[in-house]
């Protein structure tokens, strides 16, 4: 069987190197989060790169069930920080917990004209693909 996408490598070593030395723009797409059922039906989009001010719901881990607004997207560490999701340090200081975007669900999007065009573009591509499958 031949490789479908030749730009991706099947070697564990090379895949890990590509992941951890990825530039910021590539990290943005890796840090995509799935949309909630309502948003998925509304926009016809499954997942979108996460950004500050999106509202999310945590679906995995010890903080499962908590919801809040994204306060920062830490691309270097591949994590996002969510308001009110933090832990106390031994000196009493509160530090935000890093959560991977794949473990959250976007419940409310911060939409501007750029984000609108992204949603439109993805939706259009999905509709074209669905049309091709029916033929």
């Amino acid at each position: 069987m031949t490789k479908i996408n030749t730009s991706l490598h099947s070697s564990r070593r090379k895949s890990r190197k590509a992941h951890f030395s990825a530039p910021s723009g590539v990290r943005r797409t890796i840090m995509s989060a799935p949309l909630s059922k309502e948003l998925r039906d509304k926009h016809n989009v499954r997942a979108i790169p996460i950004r500050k001010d999106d509202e999310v719901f945590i679906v995995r881990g010890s903080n499962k069930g908590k919801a809040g607004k994204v306060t920062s997207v830490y691309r270097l560490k591949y994590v996002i920080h969510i308001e009110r999701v933090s832990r106390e340090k031994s000196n009493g200081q509160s530090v935000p917990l890093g959560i991977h975007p794949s473990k959250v669900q976007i419940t409310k999007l911060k939409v501007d004209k750029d984000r609108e065009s992204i949603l439109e573009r993805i939706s259009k591509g999905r509709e074209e693909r669905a049309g091709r499958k029916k033929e």
Side-chain angles (χ1 to χ4, degrees):
M1 193 171 134
T2 59
K3 242 206 267 191
I4 296 163
N5 189 348
T6 53
S7 66
L8 296 174
H9 214 281
S10 57
S11 159
R12 173 179 163 86
R13 178 184 185 177
K14 290 181 181 178
S15 294
R16 282 178 58 84
K17 182 170 171 49
H19 179 79
F20 293 109
S21 62
S24 183
V26 175
R27 283 175 187 247
R28 178 178 168 271
T29 53
I30 292 170
M31 292 178 72
S32 290
L35 299 179
S36 66
K37 280 272 197 298
E38 300 82 45
L39 288 175
R40 202 184 303 172
D41 295 338
K42 182 182 174 188
H43 298 291
N44 190 25
V45 173
R46 188 171 185 85
I48 193 164
I50 203 152
R51 68 169 283 184
K52 189 178 173 178
D53 295 331
D54 280 346
E55 285 180 26
V56 296
F57 178 75
I58 302 171
V59 292
R60 288 283 179 274
S62 56
N63 291 295
K64 182 179 181 175
K66 289 186 181 177
K69 193 181 268 191
V70 176
T71 54
S72 71
V73 178
Y74 205 148
R75 287 191 193 167
L76 190 70
K77 289 186 175 180
Y78 284 109
V79 295
I80 60 170
H81 294 140
I82 302 164
E83 65 183 22
R84 295 186 304 276
V85 179
S86 58
R87 73 182 289 266
E88 291 282 312
K89 281 170 61 171
S90 58
N91 65 4
Q93 192 181 356
S94 181
V95 288
L97 276 176
I99 292 160
H100 196 274
S102 67
K103 306 302 175 201
V104 301
Q105 200 175 60
I106 300 173
T107 54
K108 190 173 175 213
L109 287 166
K110 181 176 195 280
V111 181
D112 53 14
K113 67 178 198 317
D114 294 330
R115 207 101 187 266
E116 195 70 59
S117 69
I118 292 166
L119 287 166
E120 215 169 273
R121 188 176 68 225
I122 297 170
S123 177
K124 195 171 134 193
R126 282 175 66 103
E127 284 167 8
E128 283 176 13
R129 223 171 292 126
R132 263 189 265 150
K133 284 183 180 177
K134 285 178 184 174
E135 289 173 7

